[in-house]
Every structure is written in C-alpha cells, then in structure tokens.
Amino acid sequence: MSFLSLENVTISFGGIRAVKNVSLDIKEGEIFALVGPNGAGKSTIFNLISRLYKQNEGNIFFDGKSLNQLKPFDMPDIGIARTFQNIELFGNATVLQNLLVGTNVRKSSNFLSEILFTRSVRKEEVTSRVMVEEVMDFLDLQQYREKYIMGLSYGTRKIVELGRALALKPKVLLLDEPASGLSAEETEDLAFWIEDIKKIMGITVLMVEHNLNLVNKVADRVAALVDGEIISVGNPKSVQSDPKVIEAYIGV
Ligand SMILES: Nc1ncnc2c1ncn2[C@@H]1O[C@H](COP(=O)(O)OP(=O)(O)OP(=O)(O)O)[C@@H](O)[C@H]1O
Ligand SMILES: [Mg+2]
C-alpha cells in the first residue's frame, strides 16, 4: 500500500490551474524529490498535503487515511511535519524555545489533564524535552540553544527550522528548498543529515529542491513538475536525462 499519495489532484487560483491532475505515490522510507522551474507548482503541492490549500479535485491519502477533511493543525498528530520556502520561526525567541514550541502542538493530553498535571502530561513534557535535546545534538545546534533567531545567520536559521520539524517526530518530513541560501559547506552537512533522517530516524522525506547535485546525492526517486503537471518520474539519472525534462528546462 502506498504511504503518501496524491490521486488526480487539481487546484486553481483565479482560473489558473497551478496543479493539474497530479498523481504521486511516495513510498515509506524513501527520499523523494520534486524538481521543476519556478512557478511549476511544487510549493503548492506541499501546501495541499499540509492542508493549507484544499484541492478542487482529487484525493490525498496518508498512512491509509484520507487527508481531505483535515486541517493544518492536525498535521503534527498524524505525523506530517514541514519546513517552508521562507523560514517560519519566532524571531524574538531562542533556538530552544522555537524547538519546544513545535513539540507543544503535538500534545495529546486535554485541558483538564494539563491543569491537574497528570502523570501522562508530565511524561509527554519529558519526552518532548528529550527529543528536542536529541535533535539539537544531531543538527549540531547546542552551541546556539540560548541564542535568539533574529541574530542567527540565514543558514543556521534554516537548520533550526529543520530541527523544529524533526522535533515533532514525524513519519514524513516535507522540506521546501532546504538548500536554498546555504553555503557549499552547509549544503554538504545538509546532505548527510537528510540521509541520516532516512536511515537512522526512519523518516520518509519529500523535498522540493533546485540544487540538482543535492537531489542526485540523496534522492531515491524524483518527479519533474512543469506548469503544474508531472512530466517524468524515476531515479534521479533517468529523470534528468529524460528528453521531456531537458526540453522543459531549455524552454524556460
Ligand atoms: N495562494 C495563491 N494565490 C494565487 N496564486 C497562487 C497561490 N499559490 C500559488 N499560486 C500560483 O501557483 C503557481 C505555482 O506556484 P508555486 O509556489 O507552487 O511554485 P513553485 O514550483 O514552488 O515555484 P518556486 O520554485 O519559485 O518556489 C504560481 O503561478 C503561483 O503564482
Ligand atoms: Mg516554491
């Protein structure tokens, strides 16, 4: 059974179809990359999966369930976490606070048990803290834990955003252009982290990325999107040598 799938999904904005009849099947445990020129509809697909947008037609399934009726705030609980093309963090808060805020949305306890501070709530609090520490160790962020976001370099902020998503312990991680604005060295670190997120943490990764070196290095499969339509799917080499893809890239 497929893990994350889009079935004939279409969305229009003011009469313009940004995503046209897209079907995608992401397997559990793989790193899947979406590539394509600017305005192809890549971020729109992320916004559809994370329910910021609702499709006009088609269905989206995750882990055997339809996402059609869910809202963005349901995502952490069902196991979907994401980063944004433009970093979304609290600038006036520290790295540690930003990572903890992420885990707060995941609490399954209700209001009453929060007030009574029952054992289950306490246990969740401890689990969140432990996860946040693990993520900071993993991404080499301990040195910044008490630093405010607005004082950090762009590259470090991007890694913090990745950490915020990872601290939710998702089953699938959506990364929208994780390497944009990173230095060559930061991109190299990112490649290792993405591979370990799959291998060590067992998280499925769906990423949008313009850096084809990174895509070639980490992705198991790639889909090329042009003008809202998928024109090629397969391993990174076969997609990049697909005449349809070459023509689309030269054409733009
Ligand atoms: N909320 C919206 N309202 C109107 N148009 C939108 C909206 N969101 C996306 N679009 C349009 O849909 C198309 C696809 O945009 P999208 O952001 O998905 O592209 P992209 O592939 O992520 O591009 P980039 O590589 O530049 O990030 C564009 O024409 C964009 O203007
Ligand atoms: Mg985009």
Side-chain angles (χ1 to χ4, degrees):
M1 199 182 64
S2 63
F3 188 54
L4 174 61
S5 60
L6 279 76
E7 280 181 10
N8 306 108
V9 170
T10 294
I11 186 170
S12 304
F13 298 106
I16 294 163
R17 289 201 299 164
V19 170
K20 300 170 195 163
N21 204 27
V22 162
S23 294
L24 267 181
D25 233 324
I26 288 123
K27 299 187 189 107
E28 186 164 16
E30 75 176 335
I31 298 177
F32 193 103
L34 262 182
V35 302
N38 295 117
K42 306 179 298 295
S43 296
T44 301
I45 288 179
F46 273 25
N47 289 337
L48 285 163
I49 295 170
S50 54
R51 307 318 291 157
L52 288 168
Y53 295 167
K54 278 201 154 187
Q55 67 272 22
N56 302 118
E57 285 163 45
N59 295 299
I60 304 177
F61 295 97
F62 174 61
D63 221 3
K65 291 177 219 79
S66 166
L67 296 188
N68 293 357
Q69 301 307 321
L70 298 188
K71 298 272 188 290
F73 54 75
D74 295 318
M75 294 302 108
D77 272 332
I78 64 163
I80 297 179
R82 69 170 292 178
T83 63
F84 291 84
Q85 192 168 343
N86 305 307
I87 305 170
E88 302 273 346
L89 291 168
F90 295 102
N92 280 316
T94 65
V95 168
L96 178 64
Q97 285 164 339
N98 269 277
L99 265 58
L100 283 169
V101 164
T103 66
N104 274 331
V105 295
R106 194 112 207 208
K107 299 245 164 73
S108 54
S109 52
N110 60 34
F111 181 59
L112 192 62
S113 65
E114 290 265 5
I115 293 175
L116 299 172
F117 208 64
T118 56
R119 261 170 76 181
S120 75
V121 176
R122 226 168 6 231
K123 214 169 125 200
E124 270 183 22
E125 191 78 45
V126 173
T127 315
S128 302
R129 288 250 168 199
V130 169
M131 189 59 197
V132 164
E133 293 303 327
E134 278 176 18
V135 167
M136 281 198 293
D137 288 340
F138 172 65
L139 296 176
D140 221 359
L141 287 172
Q142 289 291 3
Q143 55 191 314
Y144 304 111
R145 62 185 288 135
E146 300 301 337
K147 296 264 192 293
Y148 285 86
I149 299 297
M150 53 192 183
L152 299 176
S153 72
Y154 184 81
T156 306
R157 275 186 271 156
K158 282 205 81 123
I159 303 306
V160 174
E161 206 201 13
L162 170 62
R164 185 201 35 77
L166 267 185
L168 293 169
K169 278 192 157 184
K171 293 181 193 154
V172 59
L173 185 60
L174 312 179
L175 304 175
D176 198 348
E177 301 199 16
S180 79
L182 296 192
S183 68
E185 200 189 336
E186 287 168 333
T187 307
E188 223 165 88
D189 286 342
L190 179 71
F192 285 114
W193 285 326
I194 293 175
E195 283 176 329
D196 282 352
I197 286 168
K198 166 186 152 175
K199 282 192 209 132
I200 299 174
M201 301 183 174
I203 297 172
T204 305
V205 178
L206 172 58
M207 61 192 264
V208 167
E209 188 49 64
H210 286 291
N211 181 333
L212 295 182
N213 285 334
L214 177 65
V215 169
N216 284 335
K217 187 147 187 250
V218 304
D220 298 301
R221 287 195 303 147
V222 179
L225 194 71
V226 176
D227 274 340
E229 286 177 287
I230 304 239
I231 58 166
S232 184
V233 185
N235 66 51
K237 281 226 159 60
S238 74
V239 170
Q240 277 168 56
S241 55
D242 185 330
K244 289 196 293 289
V245 175
I246 295 166
E247 196 192 313
Y249 268 87
I250 294 168
V252 286

